């Protein structure tokens, strides 16, 4: 059971690492598309950088998923070594990963409203003028079509992998 828990946690880790990899590869195209949409809306593209808005894999867009992957990998290593602490750590971290993934899915589904709110909260009048739905659509459309499928697969792997890790850890005792 330890081996199954470890394998599931390593799949979850790989799923999280895929986030910054995709953003690193296609973020510049998404930024260019978003800036083109801003120009179409008669908004200066520089407003993004002036307000710290990015599409690449910098900052927390890399740090958070890599940290999650590192923790899941460490707990998987404890399972492979059959260390007793692996089971309670799996309960803690796999449960947190499920909750984080719920928050990510919710954020993706409510992106337009939350970005509109965030733009208003920034206090920049130019940023507040942005029509967010076409702005986000332009950025999203800059990613290849397979990225949308990869996102669904990633969420499925995270939910199922975490559930399998929890079940296997419970049985491993």
């Amino acid at each position: 059971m330890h081996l199954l828990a470890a394998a599931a946690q390593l799949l979850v880790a790989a799923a999280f690492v895929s986030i910054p990899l995709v953003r690193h590869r296609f973020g510049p195209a998404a930024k260019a598309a978003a800036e083109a949409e801003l120009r179409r809306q008669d908004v200066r593209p520089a407003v993004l950088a002036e307000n710290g808005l990015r599409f690449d894999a910098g900052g927390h867009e890399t740090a958070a998923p890599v940290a999650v992957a590192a923790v899941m990998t460490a707990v998987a290593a404890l399972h492979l070594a059959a260390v007793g602490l692996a089971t309670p750590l799996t309960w803690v971290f796999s449960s947190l990963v499920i909750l984080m993934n719920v928050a990510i899915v919710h954020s993706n589904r409510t992106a337009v409203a939350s970005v509109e709110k965030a733009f208003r909260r920034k206090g920049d009048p130019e940023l507040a003028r942005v029509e967010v739905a076409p702005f986000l659509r332009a950025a999203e459309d800059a990613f290849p079509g397979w990225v949308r499928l990869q996102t669904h697969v990633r969420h499925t792997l995270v939910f199922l992998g975490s559930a399998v890790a929890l079940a296997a850890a419970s049985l491993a005792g």
Side-chain angles (χ1 to χ4, degrees):
M1 285 298 131
H2 283 292
L3 182 60
L4 180 59
Q9 288 168 323
L10 291 173
L11 283 174
V12 170
F16 270 91
V17 168
S18 74
I19 298 168
L21 292 176
V22 168
R23 287 183 69 99
H24 173 74
R25 171 66 179 91
F26 300 107
K31 178 184 179 210
E35 288 176 343
E37 176 58 26
L38 289 178
R39 282 191 287 280
R40 188 196 69 72
Q41 293 182 26
D42 199 28
V43 174
R44 291 178 311 109
V47 76
L48 295 178
E50 292 166 4
N51 285 280
L53 302 168
R54 321 168 54 141
F55 291 90
D56 63 5
H60 75 276
E61 290 87 358
T62 293
V66 168
V68 170
V71 167
M72 297 312 288
T73 301
V75 177
L78 293 174
H79 274 292
L80 292 174
V83 173
L85 193 56
T87 295
L89 290 177
T90 294
W91 273 100
V92 170
F93 291 117
S94 290
S95 298
L96 287 173
V97 163
I98 289 171
L99 293 174
M100 287 184 330
N101 209 50
V102 166
I104 291 168
V105 170
H106 179 316
S107 174
N108 290 347
R109 299 225 184 263
T110 62
V112 172
S114 61
V115 170
E116 286 171 344
K117 186 185 294 183
F119 279 10
R120 285 192 304 273
R121 199 173 36 243
K122 287 272 187 186
D124 185 321
E126 191 168 21
L127 198 56
R129 288 191 1 237
V130 173
E131 295 173 45
V132 172
F135 167 75
L136 291 178
R137 193 174 322 108
E140 184 179 319
D141 288 349
F143 288 90
W146 61 262
V147 170
R148 188 167 292 133
L149 174 63
Q150 183 259 357
T151 300
H152 295 299
V153 169
R154 184 181 72 238
H155 289 307
T156 302
L157 275 176
V158 168
F159 285 128
L160 288 177
S162 296
V164 167
L166 286 166
S170 295
L171 294 172

